[in-house]
Amino acid sequence: MARFILTRLGQTLVTLALLTILIFVLARLTGDPTPLVLPSEATEADRAFFREQYGLDRPIHEQYVVFLRNVLHGDFGISFRYREPAFNLVLMAIGPTLQLAGVSMLVAVMLGLPLGIAAALRPGSWLAAAVRAYASFGQAVPTFWSGLMLIFLFAITLPLLPSSGYGEVENFVLPAVTLGFYASASVTMLTWANMTEALRSDFVQMERVLGIPRRLIVLKHALRNASLPIVTYLGLQFGLLLGGAVVTERVFAWPGVGQMLVDAILNRDYPVVQAAVMLTAVLVMTINLAVDLLYAVLDPRVSRS
Amino acid sequence: MERADSSGITTSTRPDAPAGIGRRAALLSGAAMALAAGAAPARAQSKPSLTVAVGTDLNTQDPCRVAGGNDYYFFANVFEGLYGPDEEGKPAPLLAESHTVSPDGLTYEFTLRPNARFHNGEPVTAEDVRFSWQRAVAPETRNPRASVLVANIADVEVLDDRRCRVRLKKRDASFLDNCGEYWYIISKKHVQAAGENPFDRQPIGTGPFAFVERRPRSYIKLRGFEQHWGRVPAFGEVTLKIVPDDQSRVAQVQTGESDIVVNVPPVLAAPLQRLPNIQVIRAPSFQNVYIAINALNGHPGLRRADVRRALNMAVDKAALLRATMLGFAQPLELPCHTNIFGCDVQVTPYGYNPDRARQILREAGFDFNRPLRLLGQGTGRVPQARETLQGVAAFLNRIGVKTEINMLDYGAWISAYGAREKDPSVDMVFANFTDYNGDPSGRLLRQVRTGGTYSWYSNPEIDAMLDRMNDFASVEERQQFVRGLIARLHEEAPLIPLWTLDSIYGVSKRLSWKPTPNVSWPVLWNVRRAS
Amino acid sequence: MSATAEERPAGAGGLLGARLWRSGAGRPPLLATAICLLMVVAALGGGAIAPYVPDEADFTAILVPPAWAEGGSLAHLLGTDQLGRDMLSRLIAGARISLLTAGAAVLAGGTIGVTLGLAAGYLGGVVEAVIMRIVDAFLALPFILMALAFVAALGTGVGNIILVMVLTNWARYARLVRSEVVSIKKRDFVLLARVAGLRPWQIALRHILPNALTSILVLAVLDVGRAIILESSLSFLGVGIQPPDVSWGLALAEGRTYMTVAWWLTVWPGLAIVLAVMSFNALGDWMKAGFDPRGRL
């Protein structure tokens, strides 16, 4: 067991090291930030000074060493665009993103869990068919499309909710529904599959024979059995939402990491690109690691295979 | 003005708690303030708030580091020069009350307004003017735009508190025009007290609005400056809310979350106009849209002026303007808008004549088999940029010219467009250029002079004219000269000018506002509540 | 060899459908299959079926509504866009690009991923460690962000979009194939083959790959839908397919500003995306039900 944990930790560290290279190269591949940072009146000397100031004139491997050393000290450099520490900018944006991902997850569970359970309880019924249609529709609708439709309906046609912005409770509704709807599709399918399996299990069958009320069986036993894979999946899904919210954040002008990263890439703002990708990736990897370890604890076979 | 509760982004800034410096200043100079603005602080706090949805965030709060047109959303409201645009967009004295100029055009003497104040309550003195110049040219400031104006100042001499003498190194007829955007007056005391990067924490200027707080990529909060020498806003707190997405931004005014929305895409303007509580306000801007022709090293045919003129004839600009801009722009025959100095010259328009265009190309031995490669903006700040370039290509195709379009994201586009060595595999570039004021000299130098950042054209004769264009003492003589230059450029046709955009604003009917014309960003001090 | 043949399930290929049928996956989803086929026909037929040249502007017929709506005309069944281009022709042309990018991305990404996954799973040791850590690194990056950075780096254009999509999806195949291989490797027929003296690459190709193929196929079909959405998201952010090429995502992105004045610019491409993705997903789910009843994918 300890060996498994150590191996997984080691693997994660190696992956992180690889990530730094990938991110560093990716950021630099995007092109020269100078014309985006300086006005067209800037002289060649101004441009040269800018490159020198940020060390962009040095050979790429030297730049990487500097980058890595600074990152190990928690320093991601100064944003070209905002002239503030990139890490602070990202920290400012991670809050809104985590909140949105959390609330969306909640929406996804509130929609997906009951639907999945209902479909599992009545296989072959019209309800199951409707749930299947719902899930396959949810997975197929691009979030920018559903987001726009929601704005069109609930912010413009019926002015009930704010169309964009951040800070108030109302601001959460449309983006969280957009993202939650998308995530609910897979939560539904997963709940459905696991509930079906749990209901078929000998244990539940026996309880049924013993005449325990159906509602109690479903809620207490079947759901409990089905919940482990669902919870695991939610953990992974949460990681996906962190990065997958880019488009939703754009549509709703949500000041999160996704939108910051899109802007940073388009602005060739290397330090922000590096800090934002790194932080997101570390979050995702931490969640994955936690899920793996949790699984290993709960199911010892995993660590042995 | 009634406002929905949902309007605020954060509740952290209470209207009764202005930024520290502002409050201290108010205490320090209470008497002077009451005199200057004629308004008590209590009244200032009861003024309503205003929310404006803008598309982009600032690059900087430092007036010596302005990077682009979008920064003026901030600077045009918070800072001022000695001169700047009046309500008609014409250069007018701002911090200066008056000036005299020597016959040789080399020495300007400015008298400052007696009641001009910084946001910290300090009066604006001649010493501040001198300091503003010194900081703007100091090498360690790294002012990327020093070359336009301040580098040409030989000295600023302080005559007394309110008078100073500015001596130029060489004559510059565009000096007063450029004073607004290239030489903001800053407070010596503030800068010296604030240490490194004084404007990052507390940008203090003299404009009608004072800085309160900023959350990068989210909002900028300002407040009406009650002690302003003349342009006292009708609003207390003003929030510039950053909403990059066009549709979401326009929705802001539809839902009442914002009172004004800037850069409404033409397509969304018409439906917006039909709404009962919203007015669509148009103001002529100086944002020009054109196609730059690679006359340097692209398709060999493009090195001939007659071919470039023929390409101008091939594009039905009026039809394209109707189709893509829905009429929200002014057609452009010359490289600049007619309100720009010297661009009122009369020329024979190219006219839309595809048959004549094809004939000229044939006579010139134009190679029709080699397609023209067009570079476009896939993402960017120009409305309908993709449609426009596709439309131009469609018109070129009609006269038998093949085209290949390559759309780039803004960063890649500007790298290619402004590259020092122009890419020979690019034949034409969709481009936009915003004139910061009514003088064409700065822009033309970068756009058509040999080696200019955005110049894909080279002609010694034009270069010589450009180098001379600011060396005039007499306005009339200069006007004749610039007209001649513009007419020559029309013949040479290094560009296909398309149109000058209108600034389109969606404004709540509870407000009345006449945006400053020929200024491509919102100047908000004259927004009023509708009576 | 004959000993292994029995244990090894029949490979993919012609028997696929029959196997699926028998395996209890049920009737194939007819509507979904029909839509997928229709897409393929539109993609292959392209110019021959389309009534107009898809990127030909007509400034006399701008924003014409669909034929049945007020002001519509039969000349343009689904209406025209902001440059007077025929929507139906653009949808057909878009099917080609959307399917081409998605298909090519899945095929190329799948091939690379399968090869590396096979190598990692079969060879083990250092090779496996290196490949799998790279896979982890790629999977830790949110794929749309990675795509965005690659587009900014490589530029737009169909070729580059495909490349970007390959770079973002190969890792999933590698991970899947590796885990399949690890489990298959221990089965008797593979051990027998090794004892019989077959070379490692022969074993991998002849015995391991066919066994993993079903899972790969299911993942690939499901991936087509994902790829279509990725392409449209990139186009929505302004860095996807660029004119004069036509894709559904691009049409949607360009028509987006017109949503309140000309609904047909966004509704048709949106509908096309949703239908296509739903169909490919339904097809994939059906295959999954047959091959993978326990839901390991």
Side-chain angles (χ1 to χ4, degrees):
Chain A
M1 190 65 199
R3 210 181 137 190
F4 172 75
I5 292 175
L6 279 180
T7 318
R8 273 302 275 119
L9 272 174
Q11 286 176 349
T12 306
L13 285 178
V14 174
T15 305
L16 263 178
L18 280 170
L19 255 178
T20 58
I21 300 180
L22 195 64
I23 291 166
F24 178 83
V25 172
L26 216 56
R28 263 145 198 82
L29 275 176
T30 55
D32 183 10
T34 328
L36 284 160
V37 174
L38 296 175
S40 59
E41 295 94 337
T43 60
E44 207 40 57
D46 293 327
R47 287 163 207 266
F49 176 77
F50 169 78
R51 292 193 193 101
E52 194 191 316
Q53 197 182 10
Y54 287 95
L56 302 175
D57 55 339
R58 293 152 91 172
I60 189 127
H61 59 272
E62 262 181 49
Q63 288 186 41
Y64 176 72
V65 172
V66 172
F67 163 70
L68 201 61
R69 198 171 47 214
N70 290 342
V71 165
L72 290 176
H73 291 98
D75 174 11
F76 281 87
I78 306 287
S79 157
F80 302 159
R81 171 78 169 74
Y82 298 100
R83 292 171 203 274
E84 292 205 27
F87 193 67
N88 293 0
L89 285 169
V90 175
L91 276 187
M92 233 155 87
I94 199 98
T97 296
L98 285 174
Q99 290 166 1
L100 180 58
V103 177
S104 306
M105 211 65 245
L106 207 67
V107 172
V109 171
M110 275 168 16
L111 287 170
L113 217 55
L115 285 176
I117 295 173
L121 288 178
R122 295 185 192 167
S125 68
W126 64 266
L127 185 75
V131 170
R132 182 178 291 279
Y134 167 85
S136 89
F137 183 68
Q139 270 172 327
V141 176
T143 47
F144 57 84
W145 170 252
S146 48
L148 284 176
M149 288 297 152
L150 287 177
I151 290 182
F152 189 67
L153 285 177
F154 296 108
I156 297 175
T157 314
L158 300 168
L160 296 172
L161 292 161
S163 60
S164 64
Y166 168 75
E168 309 286 328
V169 179
E170 305 93 273
N171 290 124
F172 275 92
V173 180
L174 293 184
V177 168
T178 303
L179 213 52
F181 171 63
Y182 177 71
S184 76
S186 39
V187 175
T188 307
M189 292 310 283
L190 197 81
T191 311
W192 187 348
N194 282 295
M195 274 304 280
T196 309
E197 204 164 320
L199 286 172
R200 273 199 214 119
S201 69
D202 299 341
F203 183 68
V204 171
Q205 296 293 345
M206 199 171 74
E207 281 188 321
R208 206 169 268 175
V209 172
L210 290 174
I212 293 174
R214 190 178 153 83
R215 180 170 299 172
L216 202 68
I217 300 178
V218 170
L219 288 181
K220 237 184 148 179
H221 304 288
L223 191 58
R224 186 184 291 167
N225 283 347
S227 62
L228 179 65
I230 295 174
V231 170
T232 315
Y233 176 78
L234 289 183
L236 299 175
Q237 186 76 15
F238 190 75
L240 275 181
L241 281 185
L242 284 182
V246 177
V247 169
T248 311
E249 287 185 3
R250 184 110 195 141
V251 170
F252 293 98
W254 196 260
V257 177
Q259 220 198 323
M260 160 169 281
L261 197 45
V262 174
D263 288 343
I265 289 171
L266 294 179
N267 284 320
R268 318 297 193 245
D269 196 345
Y270 307 161
V272 175
V273 174
Q274 285 159 183
V277 177
M278 200 70 199
L279 204 67
T280 322
V282 167
L283 265 172
V284 172
M285 284 169 62
T286 313
I287 293 171
N288 289 358
L289 184 68
V291 165
D292 274 10
L293 296 183
L294 192 74
Y295 238 105
V297 172
L298 296 174
D299 185 357
R301 277 172 304 167
V302 176
S303 56
R304 263 182 261 125
S305 74
Chain B
M1 194 178 59
E2 293 163 18
R3 295 196 44 78
D5 233 345
S6 59
S7 61
I9 297 182
T10 65
T11 47
S12 67
T13 321
R14 285 150 293 142
D16 60 336
I21 290 179
R23 171 176 277 182
R24 212 178 314 130
L27 291 174
L28 280 173
S29 56
M33 178 196 68
L35 244 174
R43 230 179 85 192
Q45 281 151 17
S46 68
K47 280 186 177 178
S49 59
L50 181 74
T51 306
V52 182
V54 302
T56 43
D57 197 2
L58 299 175
N59 287 291
T60 177
Q61 292 160 201
D62 188 332
C64 289
R65 285 188 189 145
V66 178
N70 296 312
D71 290 345
Y72 286 106
Y73 288 168
F74 177 73
F75 289 101
N77 289 304
V78 178
F79 288 86
E80 287 168 330
L82 295 172
Y83 265 67
D86 66 7
E87 282 190 76
E88 297 307 317
K90 301 269 181 332
L94 292 187
L95 287 176
E97 183 178 59
S98 63
H99 81 281
T100 57
V101 56
S102 65
D104 63 1
L106 280 171
T107 310
Y108 288 74
E109 230 179 87
F110 291 97
T111 307
L112 301 175
R113 287 182 194 274
N115 53 352
R117 284 182 183 281
F118 289 106
H119 297 146
N120 59 6
E122 297 283 341
V124 180
T125 64
E127 187 53 39
D128 290 314
V129 177
R130 181 177 158 77
F131 178 78
S132 304
W133 162 66
Q134 286 171 326
R135 182 172 188 269
V137 290
E140 62 272 19
T141 308
R142 290 283 160 190
N143 177 359
R145 308 198 311 161
S147 61
V148 179
L149 179 110
V150 285
N152 187 36
I153 296 176
D155 190 26
V156 178
E157 198 184 328
V158 176
L159 301 175
D160 61 39
D161 256 12
R162 281 181 49 215
R163 290 193 311 127
C164 61
R165 186 181 292 146
V166 176
R167 281 193 302 109
L168 302 184
K169 291 175 184 164
K170 61 175 201 271
R171 223 163 19 194
D172 179 7
S174 65
F175 178 71
L176 284 182
D177 289 272
N178 284 337
C179 265
E181 293 80 15
Y182 291 92
W183 188 22
Y184 285 120
I185 302 305
I186 54 177
S187 161
K188 182 176 182 179
K189 272 192 190 158
H190 161 60
V191 171
Q192 288 186 336
E196 218 181 319
N197 296 328
F199 293 92
D200 284 1
R201 302 286 155 251
Q202 190 62 35
I204 287 182
T206 60
F209 295 94
F211 175 85
V212 176
E213 68 163 325
R214 170 181 175 214
R215 187 184 158 97
R217 307 185 316 117
S218 245
Y219 62 79
I220 301 151
K221 278 209 168 93
L222 309 174
R223 68 181 158 82
F225 182 43
E226 294 298 315
Q227 293 167 270
H228 194 271
W229 51 264
R231 296 174 165 182
V232 180
F235 294 90
E237 190 179 87
V238 173
T239 306
L240 303 180
K241 198 169 173 182
I242 296 148
V243 187
D245 184 77
D246 282 342
Q247 206 120 29
S248 313
R249 193 170 59 250
V250 172
Q252 283 277 314
V253 73
Q254 284 171 270
T255 58
E257 291 164 84
S258 291
D259 306 299
I260 297 178
V261 57
V262 310
N263 286 352
V264 176
V267 188
L268 297 182
L272 202 57
Q273 201 142 28
R274 284 197 289 271
L275 297 176
N277 52 347
I278 292 162
Q279 48 189 328
V280 170
I281 299 181
R282 287 164 68 161
S285 79
F286 276 159
Q287 272 199 72
N288 308 297
V289 173
Y290 57 92
I291 309 287
I293 300 175
N294 184 354
L296 295 173
N297 55 2
H299 188 298
L302 301 178
R303 283 163 223 172
R304 297 178 56 131
D306 55 350
V307 167
R308 297 195 298 265
R309 281 195 297 270
L311 295 177
N312 265 288
M313 289 176 203
V315 179
D316 187 350
K317 296 173 193 174
L320 197 58
L321 192 154
R322 270 198 310 277
T324 62
M325 301 305 297
L326 308 177
F328 284 94
Q330 316 300 320
L332 208 53
E333 178 71 26
L334 298 165
C336 321
H337 190 266
T338 45
N339 284 1
I340 299 259
F341 185 83
C343 293
D344 47 356
V345 60
Q346 294 297 316
V347 292
T348 318
Y350 302 118
Y352 174 53
N353 193 342
D355 298 331
R356 178 89 187 98
R358 189 183 327 213
Q359 192 191 341
I360 294 173
L361 291 187
R362 280 219 195 88
E363 284 165 10
F366 184 85
D367 180 3
F368 283 91
N369 287 321
R370 179 172 162 178
L372 290 184
R373 274 161 297 203
L374 278 52
L375 204 66
Q377 282 180 16
T379 63
R381 298 144 194 192
V382 185
Q384 315 298 102
R386 295 150 163 274
E387 283 85 357
T388 304
L389 188 65
Q390 292 178 69
V392 168
F395 279 115
L396 294 178
N397 296 342
R398 282 188 193 173
I399 63 162
V401 175
K402 288 184 207 141
T403 52
E404 281 171 12
I405 297 178
N406 186 12
M407 296 275 184
L408 299 177
D409 83 88
Y410 185 80
W413 169 85
I414 201 166
S415 289
Y417 183 42
R420 228 179 338 160
E421 300 291 328
K422 304 303 182 202
D423 182 351
S425 70
V426 173
D427 297 310
M428 288 184 172
V429 187
F430 170 91
N432 63 300
F433 206 113
T434 303
D435 287 302
Y436 287 173
N437 54 54
D439 194 273
S441 53
R443 186 260 280 247
L444 289 177
L445 282 174
R446 277 170 280 150
Q447 199 178 30
V448 290
R449 197 189 185 287
T450 307
T453 315
Y454 301 127
S455 175
W456 295 66
Y457 171 77
S458 171
N459 180 340
E461 179 208 339
I462 298 283
D463 290 354
M465 290 177 93
L466 286 169
D467 293 344
R468 250 202 84 194
M469 78 182 292
N470 283 341
D471 193 17
F472 286 89
S474 146
V475 174
E476 288 71 31
E477 269 177 52
R478 181 172 187 247
Q479 191 162 32
Q480 279 317 110
F481 183 82
V482 175
R483 281 179 180 159
L485 168 64
I486 299 288
R488 272 298 286 138
L489 280 173
H490 186 256
E491 279 166 25
E492 277 290 310
L495 322 165
I496 302 177
L498 293 175
W499 46 71
T500 304
L501 299 173
D502 286 344
S503 297
I504 310 175
Y505 300 99
V507 181
S508 156
K509 280 214 173 130
R510 289 169 303 195
L511 302 176
S512 81
W513 183 37
K514 179 178 176 288
T516 310
N518 302 337
V519 169
S520 310
W521 35 84
V523 179
L524 297 167
W525 66 272
N526 58 352
V527 179
R528 296 279 176 250
R529 300 163 73 180
S531 44
Chain C
M1 278 301 289
S2 57
T4 65
E6 265 186 34
E7 212 179 315
R8 175 164 59 107
L15 291 172
L16 191 76
R19 247 193 80 212
L20 271 172
W21 199 284
R22 260 186 284 119
S23 66
R27 219 158 31 84
L30 285 180
L31 191 64
T33 316
I35 291 172
C36 291
L37 282 176
L38 198 69
M39 248 188 99
V40 174
V41 169
L44 294 177
I49 316 171
Y52 295 86
V53 179
D55 62 334
E56 194 175 69
D58 178 1
F59 291 98
T60 60
I62 284 163
L63 295 177
V64 176
W68 58 90
E70 198 187 321
S73 97
L74 277 175
H76 300 282
L77 209 56
L78 298 184
T80 65
D81 74 357
Q82 64 272 35
L83 288 177
R85 299 171 296 197
D86 183 57
M87 283 305 289
L88 179 60
S89 308
R90 286 178 78 69
L91 281 188
I92 294 171
R96 165 173 270 179
I97 296 278
S98 294
L99 208 62
L100 176 78
T101 48
V106 167
L107 209 66
T111 311
I112 296 172
V114 166
T115 311
L116 290 175
L118 214 55
Y122 190 76
L123 299 174
V126 182
V127 179
E128 179 179 29
V130 171
I131 292 176
M132 290 325 287
R133 291 298 77 73
I134 296 175
V135 165
D136 282 349
F138 269 85
L139 286 178
L141 292 177
F143 69 113
I144 188 146
L145 297 177
M146 195 164 31
L148 213 64
F150 277 122
V151 171
L154 304 169
T156 52
V158 177
N160 283 342
I161 297 296
I162 294 174
L163 188 60
V164 163
M165 287 166 46
V166 169
L167 284 170
T168 53
N169 77 351
W170 70 271
R172 273 199 310 277
Y173 291 90
R175 175 180 272 185
L176 172 77
V177 170
R178 181 208 153 250
S179 69
E180 288 276 310
V181 169
V182 167
S183 71
I184 297 170
K185 203 161 75 166
K186 297 188 185 118
R187 305 237 303 258
D188 294 345
F189 66 92
V190 174
L191 295 176
L192 272 173
R194 194 177 288 173
V195 172
L198 258 69
R199 287 164 191 275
W201 62 267
Q202 285 175 315
I203 301 175
L205 279 185
R206 281 202 214 149
H207 303 284
I208 294 182
L209 187 60
N211 277 287
L213 207 58
T214 48
S215 320
I216 297 167
L217 261 172
V218 174
L219 183 62
V221 173
L222 290 173
D223 224 21
V224 173
R226 204 187 333 231
I228 291 174
I229 292 209
L230 174 59
E231 180 264 304
S232 67
S233 301
L234 285 176
S235 296
F236 171 82
L237 294 171
V239 293
I241 299 293
Q242 299 294 346
D245 290 322
V246 191
S247 87
W248 295 335
L250 176 70
L252 220 169
E254 288 196 335
R256 186 166 108 75
T257 6
Y258 296 80
M259 201 164 82
T260 43
V261 276
W263 54 267
W264 55 96
L265 296 195
T266 38
V267 166
W268 301 143
L271 218 57
I273 292 174
V274 171
L275 278 180
V277 176
M278 278 177 83
S279 305
F280 276 102
N281 284 354
L283 213 58
D285 284 340
W286 172 67
M287 287 164 71
K288 193 160 122 183
F291 289 141
D292 183 46
R294 282 175 300 124
R296 280 169 302 143
L297 286 175

